[in-house]
Amino acid sequence: MAGPVSRIIALGLASIAGTIVIAAAKADGLPVLGLDVGPTGVATPSGEARYVTLPTRGATVVARVRRSGGQILNSSTLPGNFTIPAVAYDGSAGGLSADGRELVLIQPRVRFPRPRTALAVLDAQKLRVKAILRFRGDFSFDAISPKGNLLYLIQYVSPKDPTRYLVRAYDLRQHRLLD
């Protein structure tokens, strides 16, 4: 990366990395505005680095940042607005499979209910987009299976009552939402 925009992105990511607080990941994506965003990023299985996102004009920078020192180990830009999903009211984040191979990002919620939900599935090592998943209706991220082959989602079925929901699974190998 070169140029003033790249320097701003690098400084922003370094700033985020410098203020990261370790949070224990819990499951249960939430339909609360601003709480589907994991502000601290999500830790790698080894805990040596964290994945963070930074919005830019019409795109998102995702980076793997070393916890000690804030060095950017890898970064990529993907089109659209995506973030690390929060999975609890305390803002703890999820989205990384236990084997460290899959990283899931979600579009931030701007209202409830939202008419459509998008998630991005990335190769966590190369930070390349493997799939953009688009769902009709309001969903939030809940968890990812240890090997990254299943996503667990919360589907909100009432436009007025966020306590009415279904837990759904999405098969990343079969590319389909399971009942």
Side-chain angles (χ1 to χ4, degrees):
M1 289 197 280
V5 172
S6 299
R7 282 189 288 264
I8 290 169
I9 292 170
L11 287 171
L13 289 171
S15 173
I16 290 168
T19 60
I20 289 175
V21 177
I22 305 245
K26 299 173 186 133
D28 193 24
L30 307 163
V32 179
L33 297 180
L35 279 185
D36 59 349
V37 178
T40 61
V42 65
T44 59
S46 68
E48 294 176 8
R50 293 184 78 75
Y51 291 92
V52 296
T53 57
L54 183 67
T56 64
R57 287 189 205 190
T60 301
V61 174
V62 59
R64 187 172 57 248
V65 181
R66 186 182 316 266
R67 281 191 56 232
S68 174
Q71 177 187 8
I72 298 170
L73 302 171
N74 192 6
S75 68
S76 179
T77 303
L78 59 142
N81 186 12
F82 291 94
T83 190
I84 304 291
V87 293
Y89 284 117
D90 68 359
S92 42
L96 186 63
S97 61
D99 66 6
R101 293 183 180 193
E102 310 286 337
L103 176 65
V104 179
L105 306 176
I106 191 166
Q107 280 185 330
R109 179 181 305 282
V110 293
R111 66 180 184 192
F112 179 81
R114 56 181 159 189
R116 291 178 182 76
T117 305
L119 294 106
V121 181
L122 284 71
D123 175 308
Q125 297 303 309
K126 297 176 184 174
L127 294 181
R128 290 198 182 136
V129 176
K130 295 173 82 171
I132 301 289
L133 309 176
R134 299 184 193 284
F135 300 99
R136 181 180 296 159
D138 196 324
F139 290 78
S140 59
F141 174 86
D142 191 43
I144 185 169
S145 64
K147 293 185 178 181
N149 57 326
L150 290 173
L151 295 182
Y152 297 96
L153 307 170
I154 303 297
Q155 179 183 14
Y156 299 98
V157 294
S158 170
K160 296 182 181 188
D161 184 359
T163 65
R164 292 191 54 219
Y165 61 87
L166 301 172
V167 177
R168 304 287 301 272
Y170 183 87
D171 187 324
L172 287 166
R173 307 280 192 272
Q174 300 286 324
H175 305 287
R176 68 185 186 102
L177 189 61
L178 306 175
D179 292 332

